[in-house]
């Protein structure tokens, strides 16, 4: 397989917001949030933006990889919370990095955004269209929350994660991905509505809405199935996997996946306690945490898995 992750980076906002602080803002409790999700804290952007965090995460990933931005020929940003409709976050990131040789674009695959970005980067390399790519997941979800809707706003946080991917003999062993638009209404956020001199809609701003139980049921069924599929595709036993790095939505989902795969929970590192759910940012930020803790050695096998709005999902077996 032709692509290897050679560097990771992440960036979080300065402002930490504990469950206790949310108790002061709305009718919720630390006990409810902790017991239903595992989340204890999240970081909320005040000075930061989606692009500024993507830039910080990318710089750290390039430094970790030991390469310069001019070596990048592809930049993909997974995001559902770009600062601007256009230009893309990826083009703004390209400019900030002076990555003058890169082609840059955003993708919207919500919480599977990093996995989808990785798939595209790998496919470019397989097709001989890129040698070195930067894949980023960056979100400012706090601006998309209805802060009067306690059932969603307590779950999400802001941040960005990045990985440098380079053409190589070993690395991404295989990826499986999928989508089911028919179930898309389970997790939605409207963009600008049709609005012009010929229609009287007004310019309403909408916020994220989630049927939490529908998404929960989807996750506990589809994630273990997708991981099993990618393990089979790559002829890998679950026991060979050192870590399963899953999208950080809910500790109960992660525990359920571990049980269904018959794998010890210790193989499922988490940071949702500290960071909450950062959609496309969750998987690359967790990957960076694990990498920087020195827990990954060359040759280790890991699984990355994302799932969320779309509905979308994806899983990869990666040799470090
Ligand atoms: O990143 C995309 C992927 N997203 C996910 O994977 C999310 C998947 N879903 C979930 O993680 C869970 O469904 C939630 C954590 C969102 C919700 O947990 P739940 O056990 O399904 O709770 P619920 O929605 O059934 O709500 C139970 C109760 C309700 O009260 P009643 O109707 O039973 O009286 C809610 O009003 O909890 C209430 N509730 C809250 N109470 C205190 C909802 N939000 C809160 C809150 N604080 N923040």
């Amino acid at each position: 397989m032709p692509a290897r992750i050679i560097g990771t980076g992440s960036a979080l906002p300065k402002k930490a917001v504990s469950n206790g602080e949310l108790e002061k803002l709305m009718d919720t409790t630390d006990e409810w949030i902790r017991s239903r999700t595992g989340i204890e804290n999240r970081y909320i952007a005040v000075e930061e933006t989606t692009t500024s965090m993507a830039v910080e995460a990318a710089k750290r990933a390039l430094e970790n990889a030991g390469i310069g931005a001019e070596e990048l020929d592809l930049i993909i940003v997974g995001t559902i919370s770009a600062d601007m409709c256009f230009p893309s976050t990826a083009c703004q990131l390209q400019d900030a990095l002076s990555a003058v040789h890169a082609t840059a674009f955003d993708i919207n695959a919500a919480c599977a955004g990093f996995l989808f970005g990785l798939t595209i980067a790998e496919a470019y390399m397989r097709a001989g269209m890129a040698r070195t790519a930067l894949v980023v997941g960056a979100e400012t979800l706090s601006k998309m929350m209805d802060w009067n809707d306690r059932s969603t706003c307590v779950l999400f946080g802001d941040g960005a994660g990045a990985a440098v991917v380079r053409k190589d003999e070993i690395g991404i062993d295989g990826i499986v991905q999928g989508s089911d638009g028919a179930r898309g209404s389970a997790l939605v956020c409207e963009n600008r509505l049709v609005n012009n001199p010929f229609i009287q809609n007004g310019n309403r701003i909408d916020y994220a809405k989630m049927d939490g139980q529908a998404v929960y049921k989807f996750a506990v069924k589809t994630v273990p199935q997708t991981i099993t599929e990618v393990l089979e595709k790559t002829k890998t036993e679950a026991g060979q996997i050192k870590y399963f790095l899953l999208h950080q939505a809910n500790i109960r989902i992660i525990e359920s996946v571990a049980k269904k795969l018959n794998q010890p929970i210790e193989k499922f590192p988490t940071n949702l306690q500290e960071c909450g759910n950062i959609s496309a940012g969750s998987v690359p930020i967790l990957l960076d945490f694990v990498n920087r803790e020195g827990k990954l050695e060359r040759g280790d096998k890991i699984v990355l898995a994302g799932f969320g709005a779309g509905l979308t999902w994806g899983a990869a077996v990666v040799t470090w």
Side-chain angles (χ1 to χ4, degrees):
M1 285 294 159
R4 193 159 85 86
I5 297 174
I6 60 167
T8 63
S10 61
L12 294 162
K14 284 194 201 80
K15 184 164 181 56
V17 177
S18 67
N19 292 348
E21 281 187 66
L22 294 183
E23 283 181 353
K24 294 178 205 153
L25 288 179
M26 65 193 76
D27 180 17
T28 191
T29 60
D30 174 50
E31 201 283 328
W32 190 95
I33 303 171
R34 219 180 262 257
S35 62
R36 299 279 173 142
T37 70
I39 297 166
E40 298 166 16
N41 185 80
R42 74 284 297 138
Y43 296 94
I44 299 293
V46 179
E47 295 161 15
E48 301 83 358
T49 64
T50 298
T51 302
S52 75
M53 292 186 287
V55 171
E56 277 315 303
K59 284 182 178 169
R60 288 173 190 156
L62 288 167
E63 197 185 341
N64 186 239
I67 70 158
E70 69 288 348
E71 294 181 57
L72 296 173
D73 39 33
L74 180 64
I75 297 177
I76 303 171
V77 178
T79 185
I80 52 171
S81 53
D83 302 323
M84 301 178 77
C85 293
F86 51 85
S88 65
T89 308
C91 281
Q92 295 174 67
L93 176 57
Q94 176 197 22
D95 179 39
L97 297 174
S98 300
V100 290
H101 302 300
T103 298
F105 55 88
D106 289 359
I107 54 162
N108 177 342
C111 311
F114 181 74
L115 264 298
F116 277 42
L118 212 53
T119 310
I120 298 167
E122 198 254 7
Y124 265 63
M125 287 174 199
R126 193 189 288 269
M129 290 167 65
R131 177 167 179 264
T132 311
L134 180 67
V135 182
V136 180
E139 305 286 10
T140 318
L141 300 174
S142 57
K143 69 186 176 194
M144 304 173 80
M145 295 298 127
D146 176 354
W147 286 87
N148 293 308
D149 176 8
R150 65 178 183 173
S151 70
T152 51
C153 70
V154 303
L155 306 172
F156 296 94
D158 302 332
V164 179
V165 183
R166 177 161 273 180
K167 195 169 173 143
D168 204 337
E169 295 304 310
I170 56 153
I172 299 169
D173 296 344
I175 307 183
V176 164
Q177 56 177 178
S179 311
D180 183 3
R183 287 189 283 166
S185 60
L187 185 43
V188 295
C189 185
E190 278 173 5
N191 204 337
R192 292 176 181 218
L193 299 175
V194 175
N195 187 38
N196 57 52
F198 310 103
I199 192 166
Q200 303 295 322
N201 259 347
N203 225 340
R204 185 162 63 90
I205 293 179
D206 202 21
Y207 295 102
K209 294 188 198 76
M210 178 166 71
D211 177 347
Q213 291 190 2
V215 179
Y216 189 95
K217 282 180 196 153
F218 147 70
V220 294
K221 187 164 176 226
T222 306
V223 178
Q225 274 176 356
T226 309
I227 293 175
T228 302
E229 200 182 328
V230 77
L231 288 173
E232 283 171 7
K233 184 178 168 182
T234 56
K235 299 184 173 44
T236 311
E237 297 293 327
Q240 289 173 260
I241 302 297
K242 185 169 186 184
Y243 293 121
F244 296 83
L245 305 183
L246 270 49
H247 172 51
Q248 299 289 292
N250 189 320
I251 194 70
R252 293 188 290 142
I253 294 175
I254 294 169
E255 286 165 357
S256 165
V257 174
K259 203 167 167 196
K260 284 191 176 159
L261 293 174
N262 204 17
Q263 292 298 300
I265 193 68
E266 292 71 30
K267 282 186 165 189
F268 292 72
T270 55
N271 64 4
L272 61 84
Q273 297 82 351
E274 178 189 349
C275 299
N277 177 346
I278 313 180
S279 192
S282 276
V283 172
I285 292 170
L286 181 63
L287 178 62
D288 185 51
F289 277 31
V290 171
N291 185 25
R292 280 171 199 270
E293 282 163 16
K295 290 181 173 167
L296 294 174
E297 283 168 33
R298 192 94 197 250
D300 283 346
K301 282 192 186 296
I302 59 172
V303 162
L304 307 176
F307 55 90
L311 301 172
T312 55
W313 59 91
V317 174
V318 172
T319 302
W320 197 252

